[in-house]
Amino acid sequence: MNNLHLAGISGSLRKDSFNTKLLKAAVDLLPAETTMDILSFADIPLYNADLDKPVAPARPYAVQQFRDELAKADGLLIVSPEYNYSMPGGLKNALDWASRGEDSPLLHKPVAIMGATPGLWGTVRMQMAFQAFFLYLDMKPVYKPEVLVAQAHKKFDKNGKLIDARTSKLISEKLQTLKEMIFHQAEIYQ
């Protein structure tokens, strides 16, 4: 395994989202021989077990497409805002769809999380809220370094480009650690 492929998800659907800007910055900071596709959950319906397998013969198209993209990825990067001390509902809904069934593309998947906010807390609570989710699916989270981007409005230029050197360094380190986690997991499951 030399080339790695990641899936990246922004927890915000907002057009001018700091978290989407941060995710795009991560694409520019990927380690060598690593690619990433940015996935959207904008078209995924609210979870309804009547529309899921085994009750339904097939999952909704947008859900199946999202799951297929996650299944192709060696690892996952979640970049999300914090809503009400937790993760955004739309993101949680999409990940709930992806978590269902023995064929869940999230089972045992290495994952890294980061977030940006104009506030001072840097999405600490959102990142903590994900721990139970990761535990349930036996995902392999990369804990360090933490990427908690506070006062995000000061970290990007008017074109949405990340201009904070410290944040860029932390993202690079986080992505390198995710890459190492993926290689480590590949050795375990061979």
Side-chain angles (χ1 to χ4, degrees):
M1 176 186 264
N2 290 327
N3 295 318
L4 294 181
H5 179 67
L6 304 176
I9 303 171
S10 172
S12 176
L13 298 175
R14 193 171 66 86
K15 187 175 103 175
D16 199 33
S17 163
F18 290 120
N19 287 282
T20 301
K21 292 175 187 178
L22 193 63
L23 180 58
K24 289 177 180 176
V27 171
D28 294 337
L29 296 167
L30 288 170
E33 300 178 336
T34 305
T35 60
M36 181 164 52
D37 287 331
I38 295 177
L39 310 184
S40 174
F41 57 86
D43 296 328
I44 294 179
L46 291 175
Y47 183 78
N48 179 342
D50 291 339
L51 302 177
D52 201 358
K53 291 181 177 183
V55 176
R59 294 178 174 105
Y61 177 76
V63 170
Q64 192 58 55
Q65 187 176 24
F66 184 71
R67 289 174 61 101
D68 290 347
E69 290 298 318
L70 288 170
K72 289 191 303 189
D74 299 303
L76 175 61
L77 175 63
I78 298 170
V79 184
S80 181
E82 180 176 301
Y83 291 176
N84 303 318
Y85 291 0
S86 192
M87 63 188 84
L91 175 59
K92 175 70 165 68
N93 177 65
L95 293 174
D96 282 344
W97 271 108
S99 72
R100 301 296 190 217
E102 293 179 11
D103 62 338
S104 169
L106 298 177
L107 286 171
H108 316 293
K109 180 107 36 202
V111 59
I113 190 164
M114 56 182 79
T117 179
L120 298 175
W121 285 88
T123 70
V124 171
R125 293 180 186 109
M126 174 277 297
Q127 294 192 33
M128 292 296 294
F130 264 104
Q131 298 316 306
F133 187 87
F134 296 157
L135 180 65
Y136 178 75
L137 291 165
D138 195 23
M139 295 179 79
K140 306 304 178 198
V142 172
Y143 291 111
K144 301 290 181 178
E146 294 175 307
V147 181
L148 306 160
V149 183
Q151 297 186 326
H153 56 285
K154 297 178 181 180
K155 309 288 170 68
F156 297 90
D157 68 16
K158 64 180 180 179
N159 298 315
K161 183 99 171 140
L162 182 64
I163 56 172
D164 186 71
R166 182 174 181 273
T167 300
S168 293
K169 181 178 183 294
L170 288 171
I171 293 170
S172 294
E173 290 173 9
K174 184 98 168 185
L175 292 170
Q176 182 60 41
T177 305
L178 177 59
K179 184 175 182 177
E180 291 166 10
M181 172 71 79
I182 292 167
F183 284 134
H184 179 71
Q185 285 304 112
E187 290 173 5
I188 290 173
Y189 286 102
Q190 283 183 349

